[in-house]
Structure formats: C-alpha cells, structure tokens
Amino acid sequence: MATDTHPGKAGAGAAGPGLRRLLLDNGALTALVALLLAMSLLSGDFLTTQNLLNVGVQAAVTAILAFGVTFVIVSAGIDLSVGSVAALSATVLAWSATSAGMPVVLAVLLAVATGIACGFVNGALVAYGKLPSFIATLAMLSIARGLSLVISQGSPIAFPDSVSTLGDTLGGWLPVPVLVMIAMGLITALVLARTYLGRSMYAIGGNEEAARLSGLRVKKQKLAIYALSGLFAAVAGIVLASRLTSAQPQAAQGYELDAIAAVVIGGASLAGGVGKASGTLIGALILAVLRNGLNLMSVSAFWQQVVIGVVIALAVLLDTLRRKAGSGAPSSAGSSAAGPGSPGSGRRGVMKAGLALVCVAAVIAAVTFFNSGSSGGNTRVGMSLSTLNNPFFVQMKAGAQAQAKAAGIDLTVTDAQNDASQQANQLQNFTSSGVDSIIVNPVDSDAVGPAVRSANDADIPVVAADRGVNKADTATLVASDNVAGGKLAAKALAGKLGGKGSIVVLQGTAGTSASRERGAGFAAGIKAYPGIKVVATQPADFDRTKGLDVMTNLLQGHPGITGVFAENDEMALGAVKALGAKAGKSVSVIGFDGTPDGLKAVGAGTLYASVAQQPKELGKIAVQNAVRAADDKKVAGTVKVPVKVVTRQNVADFS
C-alpha cells in the first residue's frame, strides 16, 4: 500500500504539494487516516484519549515483532518463528528469576540472549545450511514453542515485579509498552537508514547475487539480520509477559502472521529490497485500529477475521498493481515516468487509494449490518469468552444471549481465541467504552488480572465465568467446580472398570486453568484406586481432531488400555473415533462438559459418561449477576452451577 523504499532511491524529480505527495506516496498512511475517521464516526467511544492509548498498547507487541521481521523481509527472507521465540524468551526470563533464583538483571540478559541465539540459528540454517527461510524458521517455530512448554511444564510462570513495570503506565496514563514500541521503531529506522548492515539488507533483498559479487559478505550479513529479528522478538515477549504479569508458554501464537501482515500492509515487498520502519508501524496500527474499532462496534469475532483478511489481501493486491505499473512505465532522463510527481502516477495513486478506502468502508458497513454480537437494550454488558472454537463456550454464549434478549440487555460477546493478550485487549476496550459491567471467562486466571484491575479502577463490576480471576476483584464467580468434576470423573471411570485396568488421559491446552484443574481433580481422585494405572498422559488441546490423532498414536504403544479420561467432550469424541469398535465395549471413555455431541455419544453408548456443566445455565446466570452488580445490588461471592456425571441411564434428563 505504501511505496516505501530505501532512502537513497527516492526520485529527485518528485514534485507537487507536500500533503498530496505524502498521501500518494504512503497508501498505508492514507488508509490509517481513513480508518481513524471511519471508526470515529461509527463509534462514539473510539476517539477518546484512553481508547487511543489502548490502541497504542494493543499495537505495541505486534509492532515490535514486525520491526524485527522488517529486517528479514527487506532482505528477501521470512521469519515465522518470532511468536514462539517471544514466548520462549519470556519463559526463560520468568523461570530464571523465580525457579532458578537468578538476579533479575541477569535473567533479562539471558532472555535477550535466548532470542538472539534463536535468530542466529535461523540465520545459520538459511545462510550456511542453504535451507529456505520459510523452512528454517518454521522449524524454529516448533522448537521454541516446545522448549517454552518444557521449561514451564505447560503452566504460566509469574513474572518478576521489577520487570512487570514494562506493562504499566508512567504518571498513571502513559503506557510503557507504547514507549518501548517507539524506541524500537527508532532503532529500526536508524539501522535501516544509517548503518552498513541496513544498506546490506536492501542490497541482498534487491539482488543477492549482485550483492555478493560487489563484495558483501552475504552469509555473515544474514546471520546478523536473523539475530536482530530474534532480539526484537525477545523484547516483544518481555513486553507481552509484563502486560500479563506472567510468562505464558502458549503466548503469541499466530503473532508471526500479524507481524508479517503489518510489514506488508506498511508497504514492504515480500520479494525484498523495499520497506521501512514507519510503514511497519503504520501497518501495526492499522491492525490494532481495526480490532479495537470493531470490538467497540460489537462486531462478531468471526467477522473481524474476515475484515483483517480483506485488508491484508488488499495491501498485497495494491502493491502488486503498483509494481506492475512501475515496471511497465517508460523512463526519461533525470526523471521516472512512474515517479510520484508525474500526472499518471498521481492518477494511479488516487485510484488505488480510493479503491482501498471504498473496499475497507464497504467491508466495515457490511460487517456492521450483519453484526450479531449485540442484543440491544439499555444496560451494556461486555462478555469476553476464552474461545468460541469449542461447543461448551458456544453454548455458554447462547445462554448469555438468550438471557440478555429476554431482559432487554445490550450484550457484546467477544472471542479471545485462547490468547491471553487478545483477551486483555478486549477487556481494555470494554473498560474504555464505559460498559456497565463485564463478564470474563479467562484464558488464564493470572494473565487476566491486570485488565480486570483496570476495570476495578473504573468502577466497572466484573463477573468471572467458569474460571476465576487472580490478583483482582470480581463481583462474583459463576462456575462449576472443575476439580470436583475431575474427581467425579475418576470415581465414575474406576467404578466402570471395577477398580482395575490401564487408562490414558487426554489433556487440554497446556497452561489453561481448566486443563490444570480438571487434570488435578482426576489425578487426586484416581489415587484412591491403586489397581488402576495411568499409562500415558498427552495433550490434545481440547480439539477433536487432535484427540483422534493423539489417541491413534497412543494405541500403538498401549493396545491393551481399558479406559480413557479426556478433559473435554471434544477430545473424548476424537478418542472414540480412534478406538472404533472398542469404544463402549472393551474401552470405557469419559469426557467433560456435557456438550450436545457428547451427550449424543453417551446415549449411543460409545462414550461411557460425561461430566455435565450445563454451559447454557452458566451463561444465563453470569448475565443475571452482571446486571445485578451493575445495578449495585448484592451478589454472592461464588455461584456454583451444579455438575453431574451423565451416563446412559440419566442422559435423557440432560438432552
């Protein structure tokens, strides 16, 4: 969208009014200004100081990652590992400063060194191993994420207080992450424009063979380029963990794609040789503005993904059109016919900028028209769910929306997609928009604390649903007892097996409180039956497909198992599929949640039992208590929604 190039390539003959030239030469900046105006008109809560600061905070981590990726893309490479490297660096810092007892300063240096080392390995694989950058960094994505899980044992690690200040504010209003983002942006601009390494990046990206023949040590330069990307990833990971006050082993998943998108939207070319820091910053701000504004307009999380995808596609399409127009234009002495100041270029620039703005405006209008996230009414309630890629939470949402509709409540539901950082952003958006109360189903109980404290400071009551919130005040916790449910599952499975047998356990997403609590309850309950041996425990991420794959693999090593406990129904149904004719006959499977598909399998006899939590009732009760809290009425500190083991004998009562 922008025509950002190496500073030395700017056409001397580019003339015209300053503002016109600025807008035509920087399509991304034009799009950002248009988005700011559009969001301001569509949402009265957008153009406030607090919300604009929220946008800056929400863009910070993506922008810092993207600055590092800019170095790689300018040199015609790609780095898919930055999200995982960020998580690994933060985990190393937290583990070193807590479990290892290392001084915080040394722990920070070790975390930064970890990021640089990961980048150095990437560079070595690309430069000396001759691996495509896509493959080398894809491998590092898996390695870094795996090491993060190994070090943390799949659980979040509390971040040192002295480092957590990076996620705070200065003077009570200026966010530190924004200052770090600006500092890293200035460093990026300096490296690209004023250093030998920066000039080398443009030369390598423009023509690697020509750069080598001209005397550049291309291999050594690539080592430095990827090491810089790893350094920036480490800084981003530290800032992210500081915001969440904990190092999350699953943090920053998918952030590498946002970082690459920010660089491309900002005008860099995936072919190399083009790009600069200001364009990358603008690209990151565009993504943050879109997410923030669409949240404030109560746009469904699913439609938000559509909008983001359209914007990315437009950015690449317009960049392609620009390149074709530039390559086909005749040149004359002292001036390029496709230069920014030429009449043809101006018309093309206006046309492309207009096309981009019309498409973005059309998408926003369509999404707003089809939005189903709000129920309409006077009392405004925001609800952030950990994920909507799980039938349990889809039912919770349905119960909440039904109650909101019946009571005339304006309910906005967002999907955190199992990303603690994204959930923090959503809660910040709710707070800045001045909702009357907030319902949060935490991705992680510790990580959600800072955002809930911000709501506390704004006197907005918060209701925790299904999972509690640590280190912050909530009006009430509406939940089933996951630990008690795990114990019930252990008792039911042991009873079915007669107290003897070999079983496997399918765990949920590593680091989530639901997985920890259900697993802890089951482990405690099964200890009462020494005749039952747990022969394998493997994560399947609460996903049916992964449950199928993991169970298939486990059966190869443990063909004689007699029981399976899965920490949700989706994984249990995957296990049933893998077991085939054994399910419900020689192997008993127990799930958790009581979803419609799970209950159907219980009725069919393939699933022995499910620990039903009644998610619709949970969503309904959460909304009722959120409204009571908003009206300053007394609510109980904890509201328990009963759980029960559902078998074939009583499944009709739940279906």
Coordinates of all heavy atoms in Angstrom, one line a residue, residues 244-279:
L244 N 0.9 -9.1 31.0 CA 0.0 -10.2 31.6 C 0.5 -10.6 33.0 O -0.1 -11.5 33.6 CB 0.1 -11.4 30.6 CG -0.4 -11.2 29.2 CD1 -0.2 -12.4 28.4 CD2 -1.8 -10.7 29.2
T245 N 1.6 -10.0 33.4 CA 2.3 -10.4 34.7 C 2.6 -11.8 34.9 O 2.8 -12.3 36.0 CB 1.4 -9.9 35.9 OG1 0.2 -10.7 36.0 CG2 1.0 -8.4 35.8
S246 N 2.7 -12.5 33.7 CA 3.1 -13.9 33.8 C 3.6 -14.3 32.4 O 3.2 -13.8 31.4 CB 1.9 -14.8 34.1 OG 0.9 -14.7 33.2
A247 N 4.5 -15.3 32.4 CA 5.0 -15.8 31.1 C 4.2 -17.0 30.7 O 4.1 -18.0 31.4 CB 6.5 -16.3 31.3
Q248 N 3.5 -16.9 29.6 CA 2.5 -17.9 29.1 C 3.2 -18.7 28.1 O 3.7 -18.2 27.0 CB 1.3 -17.2 28.5 CG 0.6 -16.2 29.4 CD -0.4 -16.9 30.3 OE1 -1.0 -17.9 30.0 NE2 -0.5 -16.4 31.5
P249 N 3.4 -20.0 28.3 CA 4.1 -20.9 27.3 C 3.4 -20.9 25.9 O 4.0 -21.1 24.9 CB 4.1 -22.3 27.9 CG 3.0 -22.2 28.9 CD 2.9 -20.8 29.4
Q250 N 2.1 -20.6 25.9 CA 1.3 -20.6 24.7 C 1.1 -19.2 24.1 O 0.3 -19.0 23.2 CB 0.0 -21.3 24.8 CG 0.1 -22.8 25.2 CD 0.4 -23.6 24.0 OE1 0.9 -23.1 23.0 NE2 0.2 -24.9 24.1
A251 N 1.8 -18.2 24.7 CA 1.6 -16.8 24.3 C 2.1 -16.6 22.9 O 3.0 -17.3 22.4 CB 2.3 -15.9 25.3
A252 N 1.5 -15.5 22.3 CA 2.0 -15.0 21.0 C 1.8 -16.0 19.8 O 2.5 -15.9 18.8 CB 3.4 -14.6 21.0
Q253 N 0.9 -17.0 20.0 CA 0.6 -17.9 18.9 C -0.1 -17.2 17.8 O -1.1 -16.5 18.0 CB -0.3 -19.1 19.4 CG 0.4 -20.1 20.1 CD -0.4 -21.4 20.3 OE1 -1.6 -21.4 20.3 NE2 0.3 -22.5 20.4
G254 N 0.4 -17.3 16.6 CA -0.1 -16.6 15.4 C 0.4 -15.2 15.3 O 0.0 -14.5 14.3
Y255 N 1.1 -14.7 16.2 CA 1.6 -13.3 16.1 C 2.6 -13.1 15.0 O 2.7 -12.0 14.5 CB 2.3 -12.9 17.4 CG 1.3 -12.5 18.5 CD1 0.1 -13.2 18.7 CD2 1.6 -11.4 19.4 CE1 -0.8 -12.8 19.7 CE2 0.7 -11.1 20.4 CZ -0.5 -11.8 20.6 OH -1.4 -11.4 21.5
E256 N 3.2 -14.2 14.6 CA 4.2 -14.0 13.4 C 3.4 -13.6 12.2 O 3.9 -12.9 11.3 CB 4.9 -15.3 13.2 CG 4.1 -16.6 13.0 CD 3.6 -17.2 14.3 OE1 4.1 -16.8 15.4 OE2 2.7 -18.1 14.2
L257 N 2.2 -14.1 12.0 CA 1.4 -13.8 10.9 C 0.9 -12.3 10.9 O 0.9 -11.6 9.9 CB 0.2 -14.7 10.8 CG 0.5 -16.2 10.7 CD1 -0.8 -17.0 10.5 CD2 1.4 -16.4 9.5
D258 N 0.6 -11.8 12.1 CA 0.2 -10.4 12.3 C 1.4 -9.5 12.0 O 1.3 -8.5 11.4 CB -0.3 -10.1 13.7 CG -1.7 -10.4 13.9 OD1 -2.4 -10.8 12.9 OD2 -2.3 -10.2 15.0
A259 N 2.6 -10.0 12.4 CA 3.8 -9.2 12.2 C 4.1 -9.1 10.7 O 4.4 -8.0 10.2 CB 5.0 -9.8 13.0
I260 N 4.0 -10.2 10.0 CA 4.3 -10.2 8.6 C 3.2 -9.3 7.9 O 3.6 -8.5 7.0 CB 4.3 -11.6 8.0 CG1 5.5 -12.4 8.6 CG2 4.3 -11.6 6.5 CD1 5.4 -13.9 8.3
A261 N 2.0 -9.5 8.3 CA 0.9 -8.6 7.7 C 1.2 -7.2 7.9 O 1.0 -6.3 7.0 CB -0.4 -9.0 8.3
A262 N 1.6 -6.8 9.1 CA 1.9 -5.4 9.4 C 3.0 -4.8 8.5 O 2.9 -3.7 8.0 CB 2.3 -5.2 10.9
V263 N 4.0 -5.6 8.2 CA 5.1 -5.2 7.4 C 4.6 -5.0 5.9 O 5.0 -4.1 5.3 CB 6.3 -6.2 7.4 CG1 7.4 -5.8 6.5 CG2 6.9 -6.4 8.8
V264 N 3.8 -6.0 5.5 CA 3.3 -5.9 4.1 C 2.3 -4.8 3.9 O 2.4 -4.0 2.9 CB 2.7 -7.3 3.7 CG1 2.1 -7.2 2.3 CG2 3.8 -8.4 3.7
I265 N 1.4 -4.6 4.9 CA 0.5 -3.5 4.8 C 1.2 -2.2 4.8 O 0.8 -1.2 4.1 CB -0.5 -3.6 6.0 CG1 -1.5 -4.8 5.8 CG2 -1.3 -2.3 6.1 CD1 -2.3 -5.0 7.0
G266 N 2.3 -2.2 5.5 CA 3.1 -0.9 5.6 C 3.9 -0.6 4.4 O 4.6 0.4 4.3
G267 N 3.8 -1.5 3.3 CA 4.5 -1.2 2.1 C 5.7 -2.0 1.7 O 6.2 -1.8 0.6
A268 N 6.1 -2.9 2.6 CA 7.3 -3.7 2.2 C 6.9 -4.8 1.2 O 5.7 -5.1 1.1 CB 7.9 -4.4 3.5
S269 N 7.9 -5.2 0.5 CA 7.6 -6.3 -0.5 C 8.2 -7.6 -0.1 O 9.3 -7.6 0.4 CB 8.2 -5.9 -1.9 OG 8.1 -6.9 -2.8
L270 N 7.4 -8.6 -0.2 CA 7.9 -10.0 0.1 C 9.0 -10.4 -0.8 O 9.7 -11.4 -0.5 CB 6.7 -11.0 0.1 CG 5.7 -10.8 1.2 CD1 4.5 -11.8 1.0 CD2 6.3 -11.0 2.6
A271 N 9.1 -9.7 -1.9 CA 10.2 -10.0 -2.9 C 11.6 -9.4 -2.4 O 12.6 -9.7 -3.0 CB 9.9 -9.5 -4.3
G272 N 11.5 -8.5 -1.4 CA 12.7 -8.0 -0.8 C 13.1 -6.6 -1.4 O 12.6 -6.2 -2.5
G273 N 14.0 -5.9 -0.7 CA 14.5 -4.7 -1.3 C 13.7 -3.4 -1.0 O 14.1 -2.3 -1.3
V274 N 12.5 -3.6 -0.4 CA 11.6 -2.5 -0.1 C 11.0 -2.6 1.3 O 10.6 -3.7 1.7 CB 10.4 -2.5 -1.1 CG1 9.5 -1.3 -0.8 CG2 11.0 -2.3 -2.6
G275 N 11.0 -1.4 2.0 CA 10.3 -1.4 3.3 C 11.1 -0.5 4.2 O 12.3 -0.2 4.0
K276 N 10.4 0.1 5.2 CA 11.0 0.9 6.2 C 10.2 0.9 7.5 O 9.0 0.4 7.5 CB 11.2 2.3 5.7 CG 9.9 3.1 5.4 CD 10.3 4.5 4.8 CE 9.1 5.3 4.5 NZ 9.5 6.7 4.0
A277 N 10.8 1.4 8.6 CA 10.2 1.3 9.9 C 8.8 2.0 10.0 O 7.9 1.5 10.6 CB 11.2 1.9 10.9
S278 N 8.7 3.2 9.4 CA 7.5 4.0 9.5 C 6.3 3.2 8.9 O 5.2 3.2 9.5 CB 7.6 5.4 8.9 OG 7.9 5.2 7.5
G279 N 6.5 2.6 7.8 CA 5.5 1.8 7.1 C 5.1 0.6 8.0 O 3.9 0.4 8.1

